[in-house]
Amino acid sequence: MQKQVTIHDIAKLVNASAATVSRVLSNSSYPVSQELSEKIKLAAKQLNYTPNMLGRQLKTRNSMTIGVIIPSISNPFYADIVLGIEEVARKYDHQVFLCNSHQNPQLETEYLQNLLEKQVKGLIISSISNQQDLLGDYLAKGMRVISIDQAIDIPDIYQIGFDYRKGGYIACKHLIDNGHRKIAFLSAPLDRPSRRGVFQGYQEALQEAGIEPESSWLQIHQFVKGERLGSAVEFTNGRMLARNIIHMADRPTAIITCNDLTAIGAMNELMTYGVKVPDEISVIGFDNIEISQMVTPLLTTIDHPKYEMGQMACSMLMDVLQGIPVHVKEQILQPRLIDRSSVKKRVDF
Amino acid sequence: MQKQVTIHDIAKLVNASAATVSRVLSNSSYPVSQELSEKIKLAAKQLNYTPNMLGRQLKTRNSMTIGVIIPSISNPFYADIVLGIEEVARKYDHQVFLCNSHQNPQLETEYLQNLLEKQVKGLIISSISNQQDLLGDYLAKGMRVISIDQAIDIPDIYQIGFDYRKGGYIACKHLIDNGHRKIAFLSAPLDRPSRRGVFQGYQEALQEAGIEPESSWLQIHQFVKGERLGSAVEFTNGRMLARNIIHMADRPTAIITCNDLTAIGAMNELMTYGVKVPDEISVIGFDNIEISQMVTPLLTTIDHPKYEMGQMACSMLMDVLQGIPVHVKEQILQPRLIDRSSVKKRVDF
DNA sequence: ATGAAAGCGCTAACAA
DNA sequence: TTGTTAGCGCTTTCAT
C-alpha cells in the first residue's frame, strides 16, 4: 500500500504552491494561468493522485453525503424510493448512507446520531417512529430533513406526501362503479397516517354511495410486537385476513387492501380455497409494486409514484442544502388507478 | 443553527486540555483520572457535544465506512444481501454507502472513484462488470475488497461464493428423481459465472442420468443492450421463454430456470395458456426469494443464503480491515432444495 | 496570477 | 496523570 499522494506532492513536482494546486484541482473559479494549470493536471495524473475528501470536507463543512432512513430495503416499495433518491443524489455528486430502521426506534436514534457525527447535513426519512423531539434537536444542529410519505408536525421539515385518502377513495369508487356494494377492507394496523388515509377514502366512497359498512368488513390485523419485517409478513397477513372473509355467511364481493402484498396474499388464500378472483371476489391493491404485474390475475391497484417521490425528495433536499429558496414546503402527489384484471367488470357498461 | 461545539470548548469549560478531553470522549484506553473524566463527560452532555468524525477520520485515516456495489436494490436478491451486510456493519459501528451500479460500467467506475476519494477502505461488490484492472488499481491504493457471488481473478480479493453448479445439479436431479426426462433450461444470458454454473450443473445431472438434451430445451434470452434492470425484466423473460416451450411438438415436462423471477414468469405464461403447473409442466426456480412463497403454486426452488452471505462478507471485511488474519480467502456456501408445490411428484414413491 | 499561513476538529507522540 | 505540539489534507483569506 503506497503512501497517499497529496496536493503538496504535486506542488513540489511542478514548483508551485499547494494553494494553487488546490485551486485547479478543485475546479475553483479562482484564476490560474493556463500553463500552470495544465502542468498541475498532468502531474496529478502522473502521480495517480486521488483527492482526500475528508480534508476538503473538514475545511468546507460539507460532507457531500445524505442519509436515508427507511424501514427496510427488502420492501420493494422503499427500494423504489431509494432508487429515485440515489439517482438524483448521484447527479449532485452526493453519496447516500442507507439506514434500515426496521421500525426500531432505538436503531433510528443510533443512525441519526451516526449521521450527525459524520457531518451529514441532509436527511430523507420515510416513516420514522415517534422521534419528533429528537428530530427537532437535529434540525437545531443544522440538519435539513425531508419527510416522505409521513406528515411530521415540525415546521422546519419539508414534506413529500401522497394523497392516500384519495387513493382509497378511487379504489373503492372503482369497485362501486363496477357494481360492488359489499366491500371489505383488509389492512395492517392503522397506526400509520398512510393507512388511515386509505381507510378514510374507503369510508368516504362508501358513504357517498349510501352504503353502510358492516363491521365485519373491516379486517385489521394486529401485528405482534417485535414481529420481523419483510414482504412475507404483509403477504401472510393478507392470507389470514382473507380467510376470515371466505367463511362469512353474507360475504363481501370485493376487497380493498392497504398495499399490494396484502392483496396478493389475499388472492392467494382465496384461490387456495377455490374462490375465484375476480369472478367471485374482486381484489384491488395499493401501491403498484412490480410484483403486482407478476401474479395471476394481474392485480388492479392504485399507483403510488414511489420512484418519482424519491427523486423529488432528493431534488428538494439538494435545493435546500444549497440555500436555494424552496417555496412549497409540501408537495402532495396524486394516486392513479391501474386497471388490470383482479376486479370483475360490470357487464352493463 | 448554533456553532459547532468542539473538544476545545469542553476543555475550556473544565480547565483541561483538548488532548485529555479527546482521550475520555473517544474511549481511549489512555489513563485519565476518574474525577476529571466524569467532569468532561458531564460538560460534553451539558454543551450537547457531538463529535465531528471528519476530524477524527482525517487524523486516524479510518473512515468507518464501507461501500457496497450491487446491480440494483430493486432486485430482492440483492436487497437481502445488503440487509445482511448492514446488520454486521452496524455492529462494528460502520456505515454503508450504497451504490446501485445498474450493471453500467461507467457508473461503477464513478462510484469506485467516489468511494476512494471519501477514504472508504472496505468494499463489497456483487457482480461487477469487467473492471479487473480498475479494481487492481484500487487494491494497490489500500482498499480491501470482498467479492460476493462472483469469482474475480485477482489474488488480493476475498470471496464469498455459492456453489451454483451444485445448485443446478440438485434442481435437475430433483426433477429426474421425480420421473422427468425432458427438462428445459430457461435463462437470461449466460454471461455471468453464476448462470453458467447453474447450467453446468443441469447438464451434469442430465448426463449422469444418461439423458441427451435436445437443443430446443435450451432457452436463453439475449437481452437487448441497455435494457432497464428490475424484477420485471426477469419476469417478462420467463414469460417469453415459456411461450416457446408451450408450442413445441414434443414439449418438455419440466423447466429449470436461472432464478425465481424467471420461474414465476414462466409459470404465469403456462397458466395463461391453460397449461397446468405442476400437472402438465413442472417448474423449479433458483434463489428462493420471498416472492417464491407468494405465488400459486408455491415455487419449488433452490435456496441461496443471501442474507447470510451478506453477513459473512461483511464480517470477513471487518476482520481484514482490522488486520485480523483471515485464513480462508474463499468461502463457498451450499445450495439446498426447497421442496414446495411446483414440481409434480413421482407417484410410485 | 501566485504563495504564505492559518485553521477545520481531531489524535498521538513526546514532554513534563 | 496531564499538557504541549505537531500534524492529517485540504481550502481560503490576505499579502505580494
Side-chain angles (χ1 to χ4, degrees):
Chain A
M1 174 177 162
Q2 63 226 38
K3 200 197 158 301
Q4 256 219 65
V5 178
T6 73
I7 48 172
H8 293 97
D9 299 320
I10 298 177
K12 203 172 299 173
L13 190 65
V14 302
N15 268 318
S17 73
T20 309
V21 174
S22 166
R23 295 200 256 260
V24 348
L25 259 26
S26 64
N27 297 313
S28 148
S29 62
Y30 208 92
V32 173
S33 77
Q34 182 75 15
E35 188 197 15
L36 187 50
S37 169
E38 301 281 299
K39 241 165 57 179
I40 289 174
K41 283 179 190 154
L42 185 68
K45 197 157 287 168
Q46 281 175 341
L47 294 178
N48 194 11
Y49 169 73
T50 302
N52 182 334
M53 288 303 165
L54 294 181
R56 174 187 298 191
Q57 287 166 19
L58 185 58
K59 181 70 191 175
T60 60
R61 310 152 149 279
N62 178 358
S63 67
M64 300 290 278
T65 298
I66 65 172
V68 174
I69 303 185
I70 52 161
S72 172
I73 199 78
S74 76
N75 184 328
F77 178 87
Y78 294 110
D80 261 8
I81 290 181
V82 171
L83 242 25
I85 292 173
E86 200 205 7
E87 195 219 310
V88 353
R90 202 179 55 234
K91 285 203 184 124
Y92 285 83
D93 252 307
H94 280 240
Q95 295 268 4
V96 359
F97 273 134
L98 177 65
C99 310
N100 294 101
S101 74
H102 301 277
Q103 310 267 63
N104 176 345
Q106 196 190 325
L107 272 189
E108 288 173 4
T109 310
E110 205 176 294
Y111 275 127
L112 238 24
Q113 184 64 30
N114 278 337
L115 292 174
L116 211 48
E117 294 182 353
K118 295 222 164 132
Q119 307 307 109
V120 171
K121 296 298 194 305
L123 176 66
I124 297 175
I125 55 179
S126 187
S127 107
I128 202 166
S129 314
N130 259 335
Q131 305 275 355
Q132 312 271 14
D133 17 342
L134 201 53
L135 278 178
D137 204 40
Y138 289 143
L139 286 164
K141 290 212 175 190
M143 201 184 267
R144 307 314 196 124
V145 4
I146 312 271
S147 162
I148 285 187
D149 229 34
Q150 181 190 36
I152 292 187
D153 201 17
I154 298 180
D156 283 334
I157 293 188
Y158 294 77
Q159 324 240 8
I160 307 283
F162 177 72
D163 197 337
Y164 282 97
R165 206 211 86 261
K166 196 191 256 180
Y169 175 86
I170 291 175
C172 191
K173 185 77 166 27
H174 179 65
L175 260 15
I176 294 170
D177 286 349
N178 281 288
H180 293 278
R181 305 281 301 174
K182 294 180 282 184
I183 303 171
F185 183 83
L186 312 200
S187 175
L190 299 182
D191 55 358
R192 283 196 233 163
S194 55
R195 293 180 191 142
R196 282 198 292 273
V198 179
F199 181 55
Q200 195 189 335
Y202 155 80
Q203 286 178 309
E204 285 176 15
L206 287 183
Q207 189 174 11
E208 188 182 282
I211 299 171
E212 186 65 42
E214 306 266 334
S215 69
S216 67
W217 297 355
L218 186 57
Q219 293 287 336
I220 310 288
H221 172 58
Q222 298 306 330
F223 278 112
V224 182
K225 202 160 183 173
E227 203 160 359
R228 232 197 96 238
L229 277 171
S231 329
V233 178
E234 306 278 1
F235 176 81
T236 307
N237 187 27
R239 296 195 70 140
M240 289 172 42
L241 298 176
R243 200 172 312 160
N244 298 341
I245 300 283
I246 293 172
H247 300 299
M248 285 181 189
D250 181 27
R251 82 182 178 202
T253 64
I255 289 174
I256 290 180
T257 63
C258 64
N259 61 44
D260 287 345
L261 254 9
T262 306
I264 293 169
M267 288 211 294
N268 217 283
E269 188 73 5
L270 292 174
M271 280 150 55
T272 303
Y273 280 81
V275 180
K276 292 206 172 58
V277 178
D279 295 330
E280 296 177 67
I281 292 188
S282 291
V283 175
I284 187 165
F286 208 101
D287 286 347
N288 190 27
I289 59 177
E290 272 193 312
I291 314 173
S292 65
Q293 320 168 41
M294 301 186 196
V295 290
T296 322
L298 299 179
L299 184 65
T300 293
T301 188
I302 301 296
D303 182 57
H304 183 303
K306 305 161 281 294
Y307 191 85
E308 290 75 11
M309 277 181 90
Q311 290 180 307
M312 286 183 63
C314 196
S315 311
M316 208 169 186
L317 183 57
M318 291 300 150
D319 285 350
V320 175
L321 286 175
Q322 285 173 24
I324 295 174
V326 174
H327 305 297
V328 261
K329 275 211 133 173
E330 187 171 1
Q331 300 226 33
I332 308 288
L333 301 198
Q334 295 303 315
R336 195 164 47 95
L337 177 74
I338 304 291
D339 193 1
R340 293 199 275 245
S341 320
S342 63
V343 170
K344 188 178 177 188
K345 293 301 171 66
R346 182 178 220 146
V347 278
D348 55 321
F349 248 31
Chain B
M1 177 178 162
Q2 63 225 36
K3 202 197 156 300
Q4 257 218 69
V5 177
T6 73
I7 48 173
H8 293 97
D9 299 318
I10 298 178
K12 202 173 299 172
L13 191 65
V14 302
N15 267 318
S17 74
T20 310
V21 175
S22 166
R23 295 200 257 259
V24 347
L25 260 26
S26 64
N27 298 313
S28 145
S29 61
Y30 209 92
V32 173
S33 77
Q34 181 77 14
E35 188 196 16
L36 187 51
S37 171
E38 301 280 300
K39 243 168 48 179
I40 288 174
K41 281 180 191 154
L42 185 67
K45 199 158 285 169
Q46 282 175 340
L47 293 179
N48 193 12
Y49 169 73
T50 301
N52 183 334
M53 289 302 166
L54 295 180
R56 174 188 298 191
Q57 288 166 19
L58 185 58
K59 180 70 189 177
T60 61
R61 310 153 151 280
N62 179 357
S63 67
M64 298 290 277
T65 299
I66 65 171
V68 174
I69 301 185
I70 53 161
S72 172
I73 200 77
S74 76
N75 185 330
F77 179 87
Y78 294 110
D80 261 9
I81 290 181
V82 171
L83 242 28
I85 293 173
E86 201 206 6
E87 196 218 310
V88 354
R90 202 179 52 236
K91 286 203 184 125
Y92 286 83
D93 252 307
H94 280 240
Q95 295 270 3
V96 358
F97 272 135
L98 175 66
C99 310
N100 295 101
S101 73
H102 302 275
Q103 311 266 62
N104 176 344
Q106 197 190 327
L107 272 188
E108 288 173 2
T109 311
E110 205 176 293
Y111 276 127
L112 238 25
Q113 184 64 29
N114 278 336
L115 292 174
L116 212 48
E117 294 182 354
K118 294 224 163 128
Q119 307 306 112
V120 171
K121 296 297 196 305
L123 175 66
I124 298 175
I125 55 180
S126 184
S127 107
I128 202 166
S129 314
N130 258 334
Q131 305 276 355
Q132 312 271 16
D133 17 343
L134 201 51
L135 279 177
D137 204 39
Y138 289 142
L139 286 163
K141 291 211 173 189
M143 198 182 272
R144 308 313 197 126
V145 2
I146 313 270
S147 161
I148 285 187
D149 228 36
Q150 181 191 35
I152 293 187
D153 201 17
I154 299 181
D156 283 334
I157 294 188
Y158 293 78
Q159 324 241 7
I160 307 283
F162 177 74
D163 197 336
Y164 282 96
R165 205 211 89 262
K166 197 193 254 179
Y169 175 86
I170 291 174
C172 192
K173 185 77 166 26
H174 179 66
L175 260 13
I176 293 169
D177 286 349
N178 281 289
H180 293 277
R181 305 281 301 172
K182 293 180 284 183
I183 302 171
F185 184 82
L186 313 200
S187 174
L190 299 180
D191 54 359
R192 284 196 233 161
S194 55
R195 293 178 190 143
R196 281 198 291 272
V198 178
F199 180 56
Q200 195 190 335
Y202 155 80
Q203 287 179 308
E204 286 176 14
L206 287 182
Q207 189 175 12
E208 187 183 284
I211 298 172
E212 185 65 43
E214 306 266 332
S215 69
S216 67
W217 297 355
L218 186 57
Q219 293 286 336
I220 310 289
H221 172 59
Q222 300 305 329
F223 279 112
V224 182
K225 202 160 185 174
E227 204 160 357
R228 231 196 98 236
L229 277 172
S231 329
V233 178
E234 306 277 2
F235 176 81
T236 306
N237 187 28
R239 296 195 70 140
M240 288 173 43
L241 297 176
R243 200 171 313 161
N244 299 341
I245 301 283
I246 293 173
H247 301 298
M248 286 181 187
D250 181 29
R251 81 183 179 199
T253 65
I255 290 175
I256 290 181
T257 63
C258 64
N259 61 43
D260 287 346
L261 255 6
T262 305
I264 293 169
M267 287 212 294
N268 217 282
E269 188 73 4
L270 292 173
M271 279 149 58
T272 302
Y273 280 81
V275 179
K276 293 206 172 56
V277 178
D279 296 331
E280 297 177 68
I281 293 188
S282 291
V283 175
I284 187 164
F286 209 102
D287 284 350
N288 191 26
I289 60 177
E290 272 193 313
I291 314 175
S292 66
Q293 317 169 42
M294 303 185 195
V295 289
T296 322
L298 299 179
L299 184 66
T300 293
T301 188
I302 301 297
D303 182 56
H304 183 301
K306 304 161 281 295
Y307 192 84
E308 291 74 12
M309 278 181 89
Q311 290 179 306
M312 286 183 63
C314 197
S315 311
M316 207 170 188
L317 183 56
M318 291 300 150
D319 285 350
V320 174
L321 286 176
Q322 285 174 26
I324 296 172
V326 173
H327 305 297
V328 260
K329 277 213 132 176
E330 186 171 4
Q331 301 227 31
I332 307 288
L333 300 198
Q334 294 303 313
R336 195 164 47 95
L337 178 73
I338 305 291
D339 194 1
R340 290 199 277 246
S341 319
S342 63
V343 170
K344 188 177 177 186
K345 293 300 172 64
R346 183 178 219 145
V347 279
D348 56 320
F349 247 31

